[in-house]
Amino acid sequence: MKLELSEVAIQQLKNEGMSAETNVLFLQYETDGCGCVVSGVPKLVELSPEELTKEEDISIIETEPAPYRAAIQKRVEWVYDDNLIIDYSSAANMFQLKSPNQMINPRLKFDSLKQTS
C-alpha cells in the first residue's frame, strides 16, 4: 500500500501545525454506529511516536513525499485501494482521501495534536 500527499495537502498540514519530522499521519477507520466495517468512515489523525506505539494493529505504509510517514489499521487495510492520495479542497476547506479509481472520502476530518492539546 502506498500513500501520496498532494502539494496542497502538504501545505495545509503545515498550516495545521503537523510536525512531519516527528509525527505520523494515521488513517483511522471509524466504524462506531456504522453498522458494519464496510460502512466505516476514514479519518486522518496526527500521532506522536509515543501514541503510535500505544496503538495496536498498525501497519506503516509507504508515503510520498518524505519526510511524511503514515500508518493504517491492519484489520481494515483490505477496505482501501493499493494507491491512496490525500488531497485538500480549498472550496470545502477539508482534506480528501482518493485513489486513482475513486473518491473515498471528500470530507476527510483531520485531528492534529495541536487541536487535541
Side-chain angles (χ1 to χ4, degrees), residues 7-20:
E7 288 297 321
V8 179
I10 290 169
Q11 186 57 50
Q12 187 60 31
L13 287 169
K14 288 177 183 177
N15 292 347
E16 301 258 355
M18 167 75 184
S19 176

Side-chain angles (χ1 to χ4, degrees), residues 1-6 9 25-29 42-44 59 61-65 70-73 76-87 96-105 108:
M1 181 171 284
K2 179 180 167 185
L3 177 70
E4 180 183 334
L5 298 162
S6 73
L25 288 169
F26 179 50
L27 195 55
Q28 187 176 34
Y29 196 72
K43 176 171 110 172
L44 196 58
S59 180
I61 57 176
E62 180 184 346
T63 310
E64 289 184 13
I72 193 167
Q73 294 164 298
V76 295
E77 200 169 350
W78 61 272
V79 172
Y80 298 110
D81 292 342
D82 287 336
N83 295 306
L84 299 173
I85 302 160
I86 293 181
D87 201 358
Q96 297 179 325
L97 181 62
K98 309 174 183 180
S99 79
N101 301 320
Q102 65 180 322
M103 174 67 75
I104 299 167
N105 187 345
L108 184 66

